[in-house]
Amino acid sequence: GDGFKAVFGLPVAQENDPAQAIRAGLAIQAAADEIAEELEAERGLAGFQVRVGITTGLVFSGGETEGEDTIKGEAVNLAARLESAAEPGTVLISHDSFKHVRGLFDFEPLEPVELTGFSDPIKVYRVLGAKQRPFYRGMRGVEGVETRMVGRELEFLQLQKIMRDVIEEGEGQMVTVVGDAGLGKSRLMYEFENWADLLPEQVWLYKGRARLETQNLPYGLLRDLFAFRFGIQDDDSATILREKLAIGFGEVFSASEESEKQVHIIGQLLGYGFQDSPHLEDIMGNPQQLRDQALMYLASFFKSLAEKRPILVLLEDLHWADEASLDALNELAMEMKNQPVLILATTRHGLFERRPHWGEGQAFHRRILLEPLSKRESRNLVAEVLQRVQDVPETLSELVVGNAEGNPFYVEELVKMLVEDKVIIREDPHWRVEISRLEEVHVPPTLTGVLQARLDGLPEEERRALQGASVVGRVFWDKILEHINGSQENRITDRGVAEVLAELRSRELIFRRETSAFAETREHIFKHALLREVAYESVLKRVRQAYHALVAEWL
């Protein structure tokens, strides 16, 4: 007749359900032309087209009268409405799906649509395709509730304006966002990255993070930058490593002996062991010459990329960057000042103890200082975090605001502590506050104290797992914890490491990364560097020594 609709449901127990659904939708679209040809040739049916609508949410599945394959609920209705609203040959998804898959696909944000059966306009996105190098950004919020960024609107607008200038004027910019721990540097970068990802202009994205553990590793930050972009793992064989570097730099360098020389020299600077390459025979004894040539080739590489589309470089925790990377970064920024390149970095004030004149006197370099939130902004943040509490008691709001001293991370962690202490009771659809328990609870006066209280309140196995992970660093891997767990004397858990890590993820103490530095491992990261520091300091020295030995043994 006029067509048919097929409704599919993926169980919520599976991880990355929306990503699986979107891949299925794209596959259906990819097959649509072939199906249309077959229908017209075999049955004389012309004009076959496919629309796909996807959303994520709770559904009612099965039932005594409906049958086990039946699914019902608001999410099913919304998916059907999205399918009707989609243009033929496209995949349309809701914001509830988008927030779980940002970073994995390219999207085009559309105007909110009015849909039958829904009182408010629905925010929608058209899926353009899978990213060539996907990565998962996760969702920012508290206790599974997505929260808006509060109190950083001016800084966000400033970054947007700078990015627009970079794209439209073709002039390079470097921005350093400075603030104390917990003031929202990472959240600001997260929101900006999401905004930039939805720009109509496609950009090359490079991301890197400096770490305390690699602060004395020359060019460690630069290495992290290219490891992200090229998908390099720490346990890649020499052959695979060279293939990945050749493919990555092949976006600019052609397949020639001269290009191979350029890749090998850059690879040696990044610490990838090309010292036996015949291309390095003449310069291995001259580190300065090696460095200068490698940076010259890197500048050439980025300039060639920038001729095709703008470049966005995101760098976190610059205060832990090695000196060689900081020098190289500054030189590359100067080389790129007439190219559409934005380098955005976050740092604590500690960077300026080492580099008091960082960016000073350079017209292309700007500094954005994050100040503590005002009391008004802090109250707005409390209301946002507790959006599912119908009437937030004034005593609770003032308690949080008074102790937070304008630190948004403190606000989030204190609310989580109150949830775990049963002061705030999570119910569906609304949360409630036990005022009597609020009067009894001890509220630590510092952010470190709140993190310590959350750590102390964890079940023993989860606390030990977090302590073991802290010995590895802010970034750690499940296989290392399994190795520690194999030691009877230092056993972490009897439940299994995967189950304990899942619990820690549900408490939003750690996040799991989409990619890993080691094959066949799951890579995780502490939500905040301060949490890792608190966990590490809580490990007894005797146990810490044993953990360090086991970590080194695994590595």
Side-chain angles (χ1 to χ4, degrees):
D2 295 330
F4 68 91
K5 290 188 179 183
V7 181
F8 301 90
L10 290 167
V12 296
Q14 296 179 12
E15 295 187 32
N16 292 330
D17 300 341
Q20 294 182 31
I22 290 172
R23 292 187 186 102
L26 293 174
I28 291 170
Q29 294 292 4
D33 290 342
E34 184 179 342
I35 295 172
E37 291 177 4
E38 291 178 2
L39 286 174
E40 187 166 8
E42 296 176 7
R43 305 190 185 185
L45 298 174
F48 176 81
Q49 294 177 316
V50 176
R51 300 187 301 262
V52 178
I54 296 173
T55 191
T56 303
L58 295 175
V59 301
F60 174 81
S61 176
E64 293 182 2
T65 58
E66 293 87 351
E68 62 180 16
D69 294 330
T70 301
I71 56 174
K72 294 180 177 181
E74 187 178 83
V76 180
N77 295 334
L78 178 55
R81 300 300 182 192
L82 291 175
E83 177 269 319
S84 299
E87 294 290 331
T90 66
V91 177
L92 197 64
I93 71 171
S94 70
H95 185 72
D96 285 331
S97 289
F98 169 76
K99 65 189 182 184
H100 291 287
V101 295
R102 58 187 72 171
L104 302 180
F105 301 89
D106 288 316
F107 299 98
E108 178 187 359
L110 304 179
E111 290 295 320
V113 295
E114 302 275 357
L115 298 177
T116 303
F118 295 88
S119 57
D120 297 322
I122 303 298
K123 197 172 182 179
V124 295
Y125 304 82
R126 180 177 294 149
V127 183
L128 303 179
K131 283 188 177 295
Q132 185 179 3
R133 292 182 177 87
F135 55 94
Y136 180 52
R137 291 195 186 97
M139 182 183 71
R140 297 302 292 262
V142 175
E143 298 297 327
V145 178
E146 188 176 26
T147 58
R148 294 179 300 109
M149 180 175 62
V150 174
R152 301 300 179 208
E153 292 81 7
L154 291 178
E155 293 88 349
F156 187 48
L157 288 172
Q158 189 176 355
L159 289 178
Q160 290 176 315
K161 179 182 181 301
I162 291 171
M163 186 67 187
R164 279 290 175 203
D165 289 343
V166 166
I167 293 173
E168 295 171 12
E169 304 300 327
E171 296 179 353
Q173 295 285 331
M174 185 170 181
V175 180
T176 303
V177 178
V178 188
D180 292 331
L183 283 187
K185 301 183 296 296
S186 295
R187 180 62 188 263
L188 178 62
M189 180 175 282
Y190 168 87
E191 297 293 347
F192 177 73
E193 182 182 354
N194 286 333
W195 172 83
D197 191 42
L198 295 175
L199 287 172
E201 301 89 353
Q202 285 193 318
V203 301
W204 302 105
L205 177 64
Y206 283 78
K207 295 176 68 175
R209 181 192 297 273
R211 288 180 279 172
L212 177 63
E213 305 86 52
T214 58
Q215 189 172 22
N216 295 318
L217 177 66
Y219 304 103
L221 178 57
L222 279 188
R223 176 178 172 135
D224 195 68
L225 199 67
F226 288 98
F228 160 79
R229 182 66 196 179
F230 298 163
I232 296 172
Q233 296 179 310
D234 284 357
D235 56 352
D236 280 341
S237 67
T239 301
I240 293 176
L241 170 66
R242 294 189 179 206
E243 287 177 358
K244 289 182 176 179
L245 287 173
I247 292 171
F249 285 111
E251 289 175 322
V252 168
F253 297 152
S254 59
S256 66
E257 186 173 344
E258 178 61 24
S259 296
E260 185 178 76
K261 174 184 176 181
Q262 294 171 334
V263 172
H264 287 195
I265 289 177
I266 294 173
Q268 180 62 23
L269 183 79
L270 298 179
Y272 284 126
F274 283 86
Q275 61 271 12
D276 296 330
S277 169
H279 298 300
L280 276 68
E281 287 178 352
D282 297 335
I283 60 174
M284 276 305 296
N286 191 331
Q288 185 64 41
Q289 186 180 359
L290 172 66
R291 175 193 182 279
D292 292 345
Q293 284 199 30
L295 291 185
M296 179 181 68
Y297 293 147
L298 280 175
S300 174
F301 172 75
F302 282 121
K303 286 178 180 178
S304 297
L305 281 183
E307 290 175 0
K308 300 177 182 178
R309 66 177 81 152
I311 301 173
L312 175 60
V313 180
L314 302 177
L315 303 170
E316 292 195 70
D317 296 334
L318 209 61
H319 49 279
W320 283 323
D322 60 280
E323 294 294 335
S325 287
L326 290 174
D327 288 337
L329 187 63
N330 192 55
E331 290 182 36
L332 288 171
M334 292 183 68
E335 285 288 330
M336 304 299 292
K337 61 185 179 182
N338 295 318
Q339 307 292 331
V341 178
L342 172 59
I343 301 173
L344 174 61
T346 63
T347 183
R348 298 182 196 172
H349 291 279
L351 172 67
F352 300 98
E353 295 175 6
R354 290 193 288 144
R355 297 283 185 121
H357 307 296
W358 175 254
E360 194 174 297
Q362 297 172 330
F364 62 86
H365 197 152
R366 307 188 195 190
R367 190 183 300 182
I368 295 178
L369 179 63
L370 295 189
E371 299 283 0
L373 300 180
S374 66
K375 286 191 174 181
R376 177 184 59 81
E377 291 168 333
S378 295
R379 290 190 188 96
N380 290 340
L381 178 58
V382 171
E384 178 66 21
V385 171
L386 296 176
Q387 58 188 266
R388 294 186 65 176
V389 178
Q390 283 188 303
D391 296 303
V392 179
E394 186 176 349
T395 52
L396 173 59
S397 179
E398 291 306 312
L399 173 70
V400 177
V401 171
N403 282 273
E405 296 184 345
N407 189 303
F409 186 47
Y410 180 99
V411 173
E412 292 185 358
E413 292 304 304
L414 181 55
V415 167
K416 290 177 183 177
M417 190 194 87
L418 295 175
V419 168
E420 291 166 355
D421 287 348
K422 307 300 183 185
V423 175
I424 300 173
I425 309 298
R426 294 186 300 168
E427 296 177 340
D428 194 24
H430 302 296
W431 298 357
R432 58 186 174 84
V433 179
E434 292 283 355
I435 297 294
S436 59
R437 290 189 61 83
L438 179 62
E439 295 170 352
E440 299 170 1
V441 72
H442 168 66
V443 177
T446 65
L447 175 56
T448 299
V450 171
L451 294 174
Q452 185 65 60
R454 289 200 68 197
L455 188 67
D456 292 342
L458 291 174
E460 185 178 358
E461 289 180 316
E462 292 172 31
R463 184 173 65 255
R464 287 205 303 264
L466 213 56
Q467 290 172 328
S470 73
V471 173
V472 185
R474 186 177 178 191
V475 176
F476 63 95
W477 299 268
D478 59 347
K479 296 298 183 183
I480 287 187
L481 292 190
E482 288 177 8
H483 184 68
I484 294 174
N485 203 44
S487 167
Q488 290 301 319
E489 185 180 353
N490 298 285
R491 191 167 183 80
I492 294 173
T493 174
D494 292 322
R495 284 190 290 160
V497 168
E499 183 180 343
V500 173
L501 289 178
E503 287 293 327
L504 291 171
R505 287 176 62 203
S506 71
R507 297 177 187 274
E508 297 174 356
L509 293 167
I510 63 173
F511 298 126
R512 199 187 80 195
R513 288 178 157 184
E514 185 71 13
T515 57
S516 176
F518 299 102
E520 300 179 6
T521 66
R522 295 286 193 185
E523 184 169 300
H524 295 79
I525 183 171
F526 280 84
K527 179 180 179 180
H528 199 281
L530 270 183
L531 175 60
R532 182 260 166 182
E533 293 169 17
V534 169
Y536 185 77
E537 290 302 322
S538 70
V539 184
L540 295 174
K541 289 187 177 180
R542 175 184 57 81
V543 177
R544 187 186 302 175
Q545 188 176 29
Y547 281 174
H548 272 293
L550 289 165
V551 169
E553 186 176 86
W554 184 87
L555 289 170

